[in-house]
Amino acid sequence: MPGSARSWKRFAAIGAVAAVALTGVTTPAGAATSTTFGPVTITGVPPLGKKIHLVRELGRIEASMTAGQTAYVYSTLRAYDSGHVNLVDNEVRCAGAGGSNVVVGENIDPAGTANPGRGDITLVNRFLVSATTTGTLSCTLYLRTHSLAEATSSFTVSGTLRFASLQVAEDVNGTAMQTSLPNGNIVVGSDDVYTPVLDRRIGTGHSQVAVIADVEYMSCLPAVCKYSYTTSSARFTLFAHQMNGDAFCSSAEIAQTSVTVNRQTHHKVVPLYTTIPLVPGCDRIYAYVRAEYQGGPTGAIQGQADNLTDETGSAGPGVPQHNSAMTHLFAVPS
């Protein structure tokens, strides 16, 4: 399951794009719209041979929502001091007034023998969730992990979970401006890949639209890589436009990053962000990610993760399971 060089200033800007602050929002008694956690040492990470996931709740937030209202969920999960190569997933699951599950992740290297940038990683998970009924929206951040070694392992985590906004504007049909890939892997090879794609119409009264994409890129697919250090390389570019029909009205500065993922890291989150300055008279927002093969064995973009266990354990009959989106793209008008 579920990297690139990150611009932390840009990540900070992403959390600030929400047009409406949390002031005046009703919160259930005893609940919070933001939380921090850690440092927490995670022990008992199950060895590879057990084929189970350890699922650990790290933080929860809640807010009162009205049917049709859309929230922007933003979380960070830092992991370090790992005993072995371990999977680290930042999974946020929202339930109650609305429902949405999103998971992003990658493998961390052992402390002391880590490749550059692989011994201390931070995963950002961000997405929109809309209320389908009036009531309380509850979002919980879970760590999902297992060891890639035949030994029980450990590592340390810390992070945050918050509603960046509880009043995100939807498209003209009252639907959150968000899309995600279905289950399956899309190979990034000789032909460029254009996915995910968002094509929506928005109402008036906005001056800009922030466009955010998170791509989960996996190395060595369909090729089988013999060595842990064998790498797959690809370049990802986010394009975003304001249009009037097929005519271009305004375009965002492109956001582009190249990643090289070895077999040991296995998969990596590729975050992209840009902003479209809006002009009057054009109501179509068209945005997409282009993936280009760069070198090494081919890799692939990962879609939805199916049949994940709700809690610690292995998938099987009678075990509660769920699906979580991975690669996704969304827009936040302001």
Side-chain angles (χ1 to χ4, degrees), residues 214-226:
D214 292 311
V215 178
E216 195 76 47
Y217 179 63
M218 180 170 58
S219 66
C220 306
L221 191 90
V224 176
C225 295
K226 184 177 181 181

mmCIF file with all atom_site columns, all heavy atoms in Angstrom, residues 214-226:
data_model
loop_
_atom_site.group_PDB
_atom_site.id
_atom_site.type_symbol
_atom_site.label_atom_id
_atom_site.label_alt_id
_atom_site.label_comp_id
_atom_site.label_asym_id
_atom_site.label_entity_id
_atom_site.label_seq_id
_atom_site.pdbx_PDB_ins_code
_atom_site.Cartn_x
_atom_site.Cartn_y
_atom_site.Cartn_z
_atom_site.occupancy
_atom_site.B_iso_or_equiv
_atom_site.pdbx_formal_charge
_atom_site.auth_seq_id
_atom_site.auth_comp_id
_atom_site.auth_asym_id
_atom_site.auth_atom_id
_atom_site.pdbx_PDB_model_num
ATOM 1  N N   . ASP A 1 214 ? -2.574 14.650  -4.727  1.00 0.00 ? 214 ASP A N   1
ATOM 2  C CA  . ASP A 1 214 ? -1.656 13.741  -4.043  1.00 0.00 ? 214 ASP A CA  1
ATOM 3  C C   . ASP A 1 214 ? -1.639 12.436  -4.815  1.00 0.00 ? 214 ASP A C   1
ATOM 4  O O   . ASP A 1 214 ? -2.666 11.746  -4.906  1.00 0.00 ? 214 ASP A O   1
ATOM 5  C CB  . ASP A 1 214 ? -2.102 13.505  -2.595  1.00 0.00 ? 214 ASP A CB  1
ATOM 6  C CG  . ASP A 1 214 ? -1.961 14.764  -1.756  1.00 0.00 ? 214 ASP A CG  1
ATOM 7  O OD1 . ASP A 1 214 ? -0.885 15.379  -1.813  1.00 0.00 ? 214 ASP A OD1 1
ATOM 8  O OD2 . ASP A 1 214 ? -2.920 15.132  -1.050  1.00 0.00 ? 214 ASP A OD2 1
ATOM 9  N N   . VAL A 1 215 ? -0.480 12.118  -5.379  1.00 0.00 ? 215 VAL A N   1
ATOM 10 C CA  . VAL A 1 215 ? -0.327 10.925  -6.206  1.00 0.00 ? 215 VAL A CA  1
ATOM 11 C C   . VAL A 1 215 ? 0.494  9.893   -5.438  1.00 0.00 ? 215 VAL A C   1
ATOM 12 O O   . VAL A 1 215 ? 1.555  10.208  -4.899  1.00 0.00 ? 215 VAL A O   1
ATOM 13 C CB  . VAL A 1 215 ? 0.377  11.265  -7.537  1.00 0.00 ? 215 VAL A CB  1
ATOM 14 C CG1 . VAL A 1 215 ? 0.584  10.011  -8.379  1.00 0.00 ? 215 VAL A CG1 1
ATOM 15 C CG2 . VAL A 1 215 ? -0.425 12.309  -8.316  1.00 0.00 ? 215 VAL A CG2 1
ATOM 16 N N   . GLU A 1 216 ? 0.014  8.663   -5.384  1.00 0.00 ? 216 GLU A N   1
ATOM 17 C CA  . GLU A 1 216 ? 0.772  7.570   -4.761  1.00 0.00 ? 216 GLU A CA  1
ATOM 18 C C   . GLU A 1 216 ? 1.492  6.826   -5.876  1.00 0.00 ? 216 GLU A C   1
ATOM 19 O O   . GLU A 1 216 ? 0.860  6.200   -6.732  1.00 0.00 ? 216 GLU A O   1
ATOM 20 C CB  . GLU A 1 216 ? -0.174 6.643   -4.007  1.00 0.00 ? 216 GLU A CB  1
ATOM 21 C CG  . GLU A 1 216 ? 0.525  5.711   -3.056  1.00 0.00 ? 216 GLU A CG  1
ATOM 22 C CD  . GLU A 1 216 ? 1.003  6.380   -1.771  1.00 0.00 ? 216 GLU A CD  1
ATOM 23 O OE1 . GLU A 1 216 ? 0.229  7.118   -1.144  1.00 0.00 ? 216 GLU A OE1 1
ATOM 24 O OE2 . GLU A 1 216 ? 2.161  6.132   -1.396  1.00 0.00 ? 216 GLU A OE2 1
ATOM 25 N N   . TYR A 1 217 ? 2.834  6.921   -5.875  1.00 0.00 ? 217 TYR A N   1
ATOM 26 C CA  . TYR A 1 217 ? 3.642  6.330   -6.946  1.00 0.00 ? 217 TYR A CA  1
ATOM 27 C C   . TYR A 1 217 ? 4.398  5.122   -6.423  1.00 0.00 ? 217 TYR A C   1
ATOM 28 O O   . TYR A 1 217 ? 5.107  5.206   -5.420  1.00 0.00 ? 217 TYR A O   1
ATOM 29 C CB  . TYR A 1 217 ? 4.620  7.362   -7.503  1.00 0.00 ? 217 TYR A CB  1
ATOM 30 C CG  . TYR A 1 217 ? 5.511  6.839   -8.607  1.00 0.00 ? 217 TYR A CG  1
ATOM 31 C CD1 . TYR A 1 217 ? 4.972  6.399   -9.821  1.00 0.00 ? 217 TYR A CD1 1
ATOM 32 C CD2 . TYR A 1 217 ? 6.898  6.774   -8.442  1.00 0.00 ? 217 TYR A CD2 1
ATOM 33 C CE1 . TYR A 1 217 ? 5.780  5.922   -10.834 1.00 0.00 ? 217 TYR A CE1 1
ATOM 34 C CE2 . TYR A 1 217 ? 7.719  6.304   -9.454  1.00 0.00 ? 217 TYR A CE2 1
ATOM 35 C CZ  . TYR A 1 217 ? 7.157  5.868   -10.651 1.00 0.00 ? 217 TYR A CZ  1
ATOM 36 O OH  . TYR A 1 217 ? 7.978  5.395   -11.659 1.00 0.00 ? 217 TYR A OH  1
ATOM 37 N N   . MET A 1 218 ? 4.248  3.986   -7.093  1.00 0.00 ? 218 MET A N   1
ATOM 38 C CA  . MET A 1 218 ? 4.879  2.734   -6.683  1.00 0.00 ? 218 MET A CA  1
ATOM 39 C C   . MET A 1 218 ? 5.974  2.344   -7.665  1.00 0.00 ? 218 MET A C   1
ATOM 40 O O   . MET A 1 218 ? 5.786  2.411   -8.886  1.00 0.00 ? 218 MET A O   1
ATOM 41 C CB  . MET A 1 218 ? 3.830  1.623   -6.596  1.00 0.00 ? 218 MET A CB  1
ATOM 42 C CG  . MET A 1 218 ? 4.383  0.277   -6.180  1.00 0.00 ? 218 MET A CG  1
ATOM 43 S SD  . MET A 1 218 ? 3.076  -0.930  -5.805  1.00 0.00 ? 218 MET A SD  1
ATOM 44 C CE  . MET A 1 218 ? 2.171  -0.965  -7.341  1.00 0.00 ? 218 MET A CE  1
ATOM 45 N N   . SER A 1 219 ? 7.125  1.927   -7.141  1.00 0.00 ? 219 SER A N   1
ATOM 46 C CA  . SER A 1 219 ? 8.241  1.517   -7.989  1.00 0.00 ? 219 SER A CA  1
ATOM 47 C C   . SER A 1 219 ? 8.029  0.099   -8.514  1.00 0.00 ? 219 SER A C   1
ATOM 48 O O   . SER A 1 219 ? 7.228  -0.671  -7.981  1.00 0.00 ? 219 SER A O   1
ATOM 49 C CB  . SER A 1 219 ? 9.550  1.574   -7.198  1.00 0.00 ? 219 SER A CB  1
ATOM 50 O OG  . SER A 1 219 ? 9.536  0.614   -6.153  1.00 0.00 ? 219 SER A OG  1
ATOM 51 N N   . CYS A 1 220 ? 8.755  -0.203  -9.587  1.00 0.00 ? 220 CYS A N   1
ATOM 52 C CA  . CYS A 1 220 ? 8.921  -1.585  -10.049 1.00 0.00 ? 220 CYS A CA  1
ATOM 53 C C   . CYS A 1 220 ? 7.612  -2.298  -10.359 1.00 0.00 ? 220 CYS A C   1
ATOM 54 O O   . CYS A 1 220 ? 7.312  -3.369  -9.795  1.00 0.00 ? 220 CYS A O   1
ATOM 55 C CB  . CYS A 1 220 ? 9.725  -2.390  -9.036  1.00 0.00 ? 220 CYS A CB  1
ATOM 56 S SG  . CYS A 1 220 ? 11.328 -1.644  -8.599  1.00 0.00 ? 220 CYS A SG  1
ATOM 57 N N   . LEU A 1 221 ? 6.803  -1.717  -11.221 1.00 0.00 ? 221 LEU A N   1
ATOM 58 C CA  . LEU A 1 221 ? 5.574  -2.360  -11.679 1.00 0.00 ? 221 LEU A CA  1
ATOM 59 C C   . LEU A 1 221 ? 5.337  -1.998  -13.142 1.00 0.00 ? 221 LEU A C   1
ATOM 60 O O   . LEU A 1 221 ? 5.421  -0.815  -13.494 1.00 0.00 ? 221 LEU A O   1
ATOM 61 C CB  . LEU A 1 221 ? 4.366  -1.917  -10.837 1.00 0.00 ? 221 LEU A CB  1
ATOM 62 C CG  . LEU A 1 221 ? 3.121  -2.752  -11.103 1.00 0.00 ? 221 LEU A CG  1
ATOM 63 C CD1 . LEU A 1 221 ? 3.080  -3.943  -10.150 1.00 0.00 ? 221 LEU A CD1 1
ATOM 64 C CD2 . LEU A 1 221 ? 1.867  -1.921  -10.973 1.00 0.00 ? 221 LEU A CD2 1
ATOM 65 N N   . PRO A 1 222 ? 5.064  -2.984  -14.010 1.00 0.00 ? 222 PRO A N   1
ATOM 66 C CA  . PRO A 1 222 ? 4.981  -4.421  -13.739 1.00 0.00 ? 222 PRO A CA  1
ATOM 67 C C   . PRO A 1 222 ? 6.333  -5.125  -13.667 1.00 0.00 ? 222 PRO A C   1
ATOM 68 O O   . PRO A 1 222 ? 6.374  -6.326  -13.408 1.00 0.00 ? 222 PRO A O   1
ATOM 69 C CB  . PRO A 1 222 ? 4.163  -4.933  -14.919 1.00 0.00 ? 222 PRO A CB  1
ATOM 70 C CG  . PRO A 1 222 ? 4.537  -4.027  -16.049 1.00 0.00 ? 222 PRO A CG  1
ATOM 71 C CD  . PRO A 1 222 ? 4.726  -2.677  -15.412 1.00 0.00 ? 222 PRO A CD  1
ATOM 72 N N   . ALA A 1 223 ? 7.418  -4.389  -13.903 1.00 0.00 ? 223 ALA A N   1
ATOM 73 C CA  . ALA A 1 223 ? 8.741  -4.998  -13.825 1.00 0.00 ? 223 ALA A CA  1
ATOM 74 C C   . ALA A 1 223 ? 9.016  -5.480  -12.403 1.00 0.00 ? 223 ALA A C   1
ATOM 75 O O   . ALA A 1 223 ? 8.564  -4.882  -11.429 1.00 0.00 ? 223 ALA A O   1
ATOM 76 C CB  . ALA A 1 223 ? 9.811  -3.984  -14.251 1.00 0.00 ? 223 ALA A CB  1
ATOM 77 N N   . VAL A 1 224 ? 9.768  -6.554  -12.277 1.00 0.00 ? 224 VAL A N   1
ATOM 78 C CA  . VAL A 1 224 ? 10.193 -7.064  -10.971 1.00 0.00 ? 224 VAL A CA  1
ATOM 79 C C   . VAL A 1 224 ? 11.627 -6.616  -10.748 1.00 0.00 ? 224 VAL A C   1
ATOM 80 O O   . VAL A 1 224 ? 12.509 -6.922  -11.546 1.00 0.00 ? 224 VAL A O   1
ATOM 81 C CB  . VAL A 1 224 ? 10.089 -8.599  -10.915 1.00 0.00 ? 224 VAL A CB  1
ATOM 82 C CG1 . VAL A 1 224 ? 10.621 -9.117  -9.577  1.00 0.00 ? 224 VAL A CG1 1
ATOM 83 C CG2 . VAL A 1 224 ? 8.654  -9.050  -11.129 1.00 0.00 ? 224 VAL A CG2 1
ATOM 84 N N   . CYS A 1 225 ? 11.861 -5.864  -9.679  1.00 0.00 ? 225 CYS A N   1
ATOM 85 C CA  . CYS A 1 225 ? 13.194 -5.341  -9.404  1.00 0.00 ? 225 CYS A CA  1
ATOM 86 C C   . CYS A 1 225 ? 13.951 -6.298  -8.488  1.00 0.00 ? 225 CYS A C   1
ATOM 87 O O   . CYS A 1 225 ? 13.443 -6.664  -7.412  1.00 0.00 ? 225 CYS A O   1
ATOM 88 C CB  . CYS A 1 225 ? 13.101 -3.956  -8.762  1.00 0.00 ? 225 CYS A CB  1
ATOM 89 S SG  . CYS A 1 225 ? 12.377 -2.723  -9.866  1.00 0.00 ? 225 CYS A SG  1
ATOM 90 N N   . LYS A 1 226 ? 15.146 -6.651  -8.870  1.00 0.00 ? 226 LYS A N   1
ATOM 91 C CA  . LYS A 1 226 ? 15.912 -7.668  -8.148  1.00 0.00 ? 226 LYS A CA  1
ATOM 92 C C   . LYS A 1 226 ? 16.488 -7.154  -6.854  1.00 0.00 ? 226 LYS A C   1
ATOM 93 O O   . LYS A 1 226 ? 16.569 -7.876  -5.860  1.00 0.00 ? 226 LYS A O   1
ATOM 94 C CB  . LYS A 1 226 ? 17.021 -8.191  -9.058  1.00 0.00 ? 226 LYS A CB  1
ATOM 95 C CG  . LYS A 1 226 ? 17.842 -9.321  -8.447  1.00 0.00 ? 226 LYS A CG  1
ATOM 96 C CD  . LYS A 1 226 ? 18.877 -9.844  -9.441  1.00 0.00 ? 226 LYS A CD  1
ATOM 97 C CE  . LYS A 1 226 ? 19.690 -10.987 -8.833  1.00 0.00 ? 226 LYS A CE  1
ATOM 98 N NZ  . LYS A 1 226 ? 20.712 -11.491 -9.790  1.00 0.00 ? 226 LYS A NZ  1
#
